[in-house]
C-alpha cells in the first residue's frame, strides 16, 4: 500500500490516484517533530528529474531547464526541513520568494525511494484541472503551471527519504528560477499542449 500527495506552491494538497496515508495540511503547521530524513539526492536522480521535466515542458513549447547546483543545494535544504514534519504539513513556509517550488511526498510499507518521475508525473496530472480559456492561478493547478512555466530557466531537485514514524517516506522538492505562477503572465507562459 502506498500513499502519495503533492503540494503546490500555495499550500494545497493534491492527492492523485493512490491511497493517502494520513496526510494533513495545516494552516499554521506544527514545529519540527523529528530529525530530518537522510538526503537521497544523487546524480542519477538529478538526471531523471531533468528528463521528466523536459518531457512535459516540451509538450507546452517550453525549453528544457538547466540544472543549477545552487538550486539543488537549496532544494536539499528544503527537503530536509520539510521531512521533519508529517507528510507535507510543513508546506511552503519559509520559501525564498525568488524561487518557485513543487513538493511531493509518498509513504510505503516497502523500503524503497520514489523516483523523481513519480513526483513530476503527479504534478503534471494537475493539467486536467487547468482551464486555458481562463489562464490564471489556481491552487489546483499551481504545480502543473510551475512545471511548464515558459520563463523559468533553471531547476534544482532534491530527495530526502527513509523510515518515518510509520512508513518508508520519500520527500521530493524542486526549486525553480525564476519562479512561475506570476499573476497576469499565464497566457504567455502556460502554452497549450
Amino acid at each position: 500500500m502506498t500513499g502519495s500527495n503533492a503540494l503546490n506552491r500555495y499550500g494545497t494538497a493534491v492527492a492523485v490516484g493512490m491511497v493517502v496515508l494520513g496526510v494533513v495540511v495545516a494552516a499554521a503547521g506544527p514545529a519540527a517533530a523529528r530529525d530530518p530524513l537522510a538526503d537521497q539526492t544523487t546524480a542519477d536522480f538529478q538526471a531523471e528529474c531533468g528528463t521528466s521535466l523536459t518531457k512535459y515542458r516540451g509538450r507546452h513549447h517550453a525549453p528544457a531547464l538547466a540544472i543549477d547546483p545552487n538550486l539543488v543545494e537549496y532544494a536539499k535544504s528544503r527537503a530536509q526541513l520539510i521531512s521533519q514534519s508529517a507528510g507535507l504539513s510543513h508546506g511552503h513556509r519559509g520559501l525564498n520568494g525568488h524561487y518557485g517550488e513543487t513538493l511531493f511526498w509518498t509513504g510505503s510499507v516497502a523500503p524503497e525511494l520514489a523516483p523523481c518521475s513519480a513526483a513530476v508525473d503527479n504534478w503534471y496530472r494537475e493539467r486536467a484541472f487547468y482551464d486555458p480559456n481562463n489562464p490564471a492561478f489556481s491552487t489546483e493547478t499551481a504545480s502543473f503551471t510551475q512545471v511548464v512555466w515558459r520563463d523559468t530557466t533553471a531547476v534544482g531537485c532534491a530527495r530526502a527519504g527513509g523510515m518515518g514514524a510509520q512508513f518508508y517516506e520519500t520527500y521530493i522538492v524542486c526549486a525553480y528560477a525564476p519562479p512561475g505562477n506570476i499573476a497576469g503572465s499565464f497566457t504567455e507562459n502556460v502554452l497549450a499542449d
Side-chain angles (χ1 to χ4, degrees):
M1 175 185 292
T2 61
S4 181
N5 199 316
L7 189 70
N8 64 33
R9 186 180 195 293
Y10 294 90
T12 301
V14 182
V16 181
M18 296 180 178
V19 177
V20 176
L21 303 172
V23 175
V24 177
V25 175
R34 64 183 182 193
D35 289 335
L37 296 177
D39 176 41
Q40 302 286 346
T41 308
T42 65
D44 287 345
F45 172 81
Q46 285 298 320
E48 182 197 6
C49 291
T51 299
S52 295
L53 289 164
T54 297
K55 173 179 76 172
Y56 289 125
R57 289 177 60 81
R59 290 182 186 178
H60 296 269
H61 314 285
L65 298 172
I67 304 294
D68 182 320
N70 293 322
L71 288 174
V72 171
E73 289 306 312
Y74 181 72
K76 285 181 181 182
S77 71
R78 294 289 294 163
Q80 293 285 291
L81 177 66
I82 292 164
S83 75
Q84 292 176 357
S85 301
L88 293 176
S89 63
H90 184 278
H92 296 284
R93 283 188 311 280
L95 176 65
N96 179 325
H98 297 290
Y99 304 133
E101 179 176 74
T102 49
L103 305 176
F104 175 83
W105 170 89
T106 188
S108 173
V109 295
E112 56 191 36
L113 294 168
C116 193
S117 60
V120 178
D121 291 349
N122 196 320
W123 299 327
Y124 190 79
R125 284 186 196 110
E126 293 177 3
R127 165 69 181 93
F129 305 105
Y130 185 73
D131 181 0
N133 297 316
N134 183 23
F137 176 79
S138 166
T139 58
E140 292 181 324
T141 62
S143 295
F144 157 71
T145 52
Q146 175 59 80
V147 165
V148 302
W149 196 263
R150 187 175 184 163
D151 283 349
T152 295
T153 59
V155 69
C157 298
R159 176 173 60 185
M163 186 63 195
Q166 298 178 5
F167 309 103
Y168 291 94
E169 300 180 50
T170 303
Y171 291 81
I172 296 175
V173 175
C174 289
Y176 304 83
N181 292 323
I182 307 299
S185 299
F186 281 80
T187 301
E188 62 269 21
N189 281 288
V190 182
L191 304 179
D193 53 350

